């Protein structure tokens, strides 16, 4: 288990631009909501990502699917008062120690809430990758194109419902995937970018053509947000 300090150090090293003090200052302002959890606002109009991601998909995905994760997560926590007041990150990082009666719900609904909360924030049109993030990606993968290929490949190969990720694991960037609503936090990594490849994320516009959706998604990544997560660390 790496300490918070070590993790932040590693994160700063990956980015190559932050001092430990800076990274810690940024991380202190980062806090996800604690229970009862609420659906965060989308933060932009549902049609803001057209034509890549359509307004109807965004509306249903955010207002209905994410709301359902929030409601079911809160219901699970009601059943297990010892979990009240814990931030979502902690619930996910310690999911294996959560009482068995609600563990599956925390895993699925809590993962769903956390994953989608970062998903909305990671989408914006016409964002150029900031130099610090580009440098970190190039040093990890060899080039941005190689990263894109690996990320696309991971998203394409998710069998059934799940996510593909750019994460920081053991102080290094890595591309990974998870089934269902599992979060990289559950296995000790920190997610920087995730693509939702559940059919509810693309079926209305793309039907079975997941590859087209993945390609479209790559046009609406808010690289500023990804870079911000890189600096915030854990
Ligand atoms: Mn989804």
């Amino acid at each position: 288990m790496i300490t918070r300090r070590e993790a932040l150090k590693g994160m700063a090293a990956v980015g190559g631009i932050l001092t430990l003090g800076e990274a810690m200052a940024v991380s202190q302002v980062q806090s996800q909501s604690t229970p009862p959890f609420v659906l965060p606002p989308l933060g932009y109009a549902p049609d803001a990502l057209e034509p890549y991601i359509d307004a109807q998909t965004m509306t249903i995905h955010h207002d209905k699917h994410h709301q359902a994760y929030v409601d079911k997560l809160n219901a699970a926590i009601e059943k297990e008062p010892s979990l009240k007041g814990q931030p979502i990150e902690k619930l996910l990082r310690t999911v294996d120690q959560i009482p068995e009666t609600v563990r599956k719900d925390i895993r699925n609904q809590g993962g769903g809430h956390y994953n989608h909360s970062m998903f909305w924030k990671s989408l914006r049109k016409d964002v150029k990758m900031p130099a610090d993030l580009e440098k970190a990606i190039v040093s990890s993968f060899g080039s941005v194109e190689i990263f894109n290929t690996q990320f696309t490949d991971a998203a394409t190969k998710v069998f059934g419902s799940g996510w593909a990720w750019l994460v920081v694991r053991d102080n290094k960037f890595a591309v990974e995937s998870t089934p269902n609503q599992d979060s990289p936090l559950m296995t000790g990594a920190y997610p920087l970018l995730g693509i939702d490849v559940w059919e509810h994320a693309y079926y209305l516009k793309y039907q079975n053509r997941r590859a087209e959706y993945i390609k479209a998604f790559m046009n609406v990544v808010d690289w500023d947000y990804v870079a911000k997560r890189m600096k915030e660390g854990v």
Side-chain angles (χ1 to χ4, degrees):
M1 194 72 187
I2 57 168
T3 66
R4 179 186 175 84
R5 179 169 286 261
E6 286 163 353
L8 282 166
K9 250 187 192 165
M11 217 71 71
V14 167
I17 50 145
L18 273 196
T19 65
L20 179 58
E22 282 168 337
M24 290 189 77
V26 180
S27 80
Q28 278 163 6
V29 299
Q30 179 202 30
S31 64
Q32 298 278 330
S33 57
T34 49
F37 294 103
V38 294
L39 179 69
L42 189 55
Y44 42 82
D47 65 357
L49 306 171
E50 295 265 14
Y52 302 106
I53 304 179
D54 60 292
Q56 191 187 14
T57 295
M58 289 301 284
T59 301
I60 296 172
H61 197 181
H62 175 268
D63 298 2
K64 304 296 181 192
H65 289 278
H66 190 171
Q67 183 70 62
Y69 295 123
V70 170
D71 293 345
K72 289 175 186 168
L73 172 61
N74 286 331
I77 289 168
E78 277 302 312
K79 285 190 230 157
E80 185 52 57
S82 68
L83 302 177
K84 276 190 187 170
Q86 293 191 23
I88 187 69
E89 293 93 335
K90 189 180 173 206
L91 291 172
L92 300 183
R93 285 196 177 106
T94 60
V95 73
D96 291 337
Q97 294 145 47
I98 282 173
E100 231 176 294
T101 46
V102 295
R103 192 184 301 154
K104 196 174 158 205
D105 283 338
I106 299 297
R107 182 174 205 102
N108 292 338
Q109 315 302 339
H113 174 47
Y114 182 84
N115 294 344
H116 287 84
S117 296
M118 71 173 277
F119 185 71
W120 312 126
K121 287 188 195 166
S122 69
L123 300 174
R124 193 151 59 93
K125 278 206 284 197
D126 303 322
V127 181
K128 192 177 176 292
M129 190 181 285
D132 55 351
L133 178 61
E134 186 175 340
K135 190 177 158 195
I137 284 181
V138 169
S139 89
S140 301
F141 297 98
S143 73
V144 173
E145 290 67 34
I146 293 170
F147 160 71
N148 284 346
T149 303
Q150 287 187 19
F151 187 82
T152 297
D153 198 43
T156 306
K157 285 181 177 161
V158 172
F159 182 73
S161 299
W163 293 70
W165 304 97
L166 169 65
V167 303
V168 177
R169 180 181 295 285
D170 300 329
N171 299 330
K172 289 183 207 132
F173 277 11
V175 167
E176 303 183 350
S177 62
T178 55
N180 307 312
Q181 292 296 349
D182 284 7
S183 164
L185 291 176
M186 293 170 187
T187 54
Y190 187 73
L192 304 184
L193 174 68
I195 178 171
D196 185 344
V197 291
W198 283 56
E199 284 187 344
H200 69 222
Y202 63 87
Y203 203 85
L204 288 176
K205 183 174 172 73
Y206 296 99
Q207 292 84 47
N208 61 315
R209 304 185 306 277
R210 186 193 283 184
E212 277 181 39
Y213 158 69
I214 296 167
K215 201 173 166 194
F217 172 90
M218 297 311 280
N219 282 296
V220 290
V221 175
D222 185 346
W223 297 108
D224 288 333
Y225 178 68
V226 179
K228 183 166 162 271
R229 289 186 70 91
M230 175 178 80
K231 290 167 209 166
E232 283 173 348
V234 284

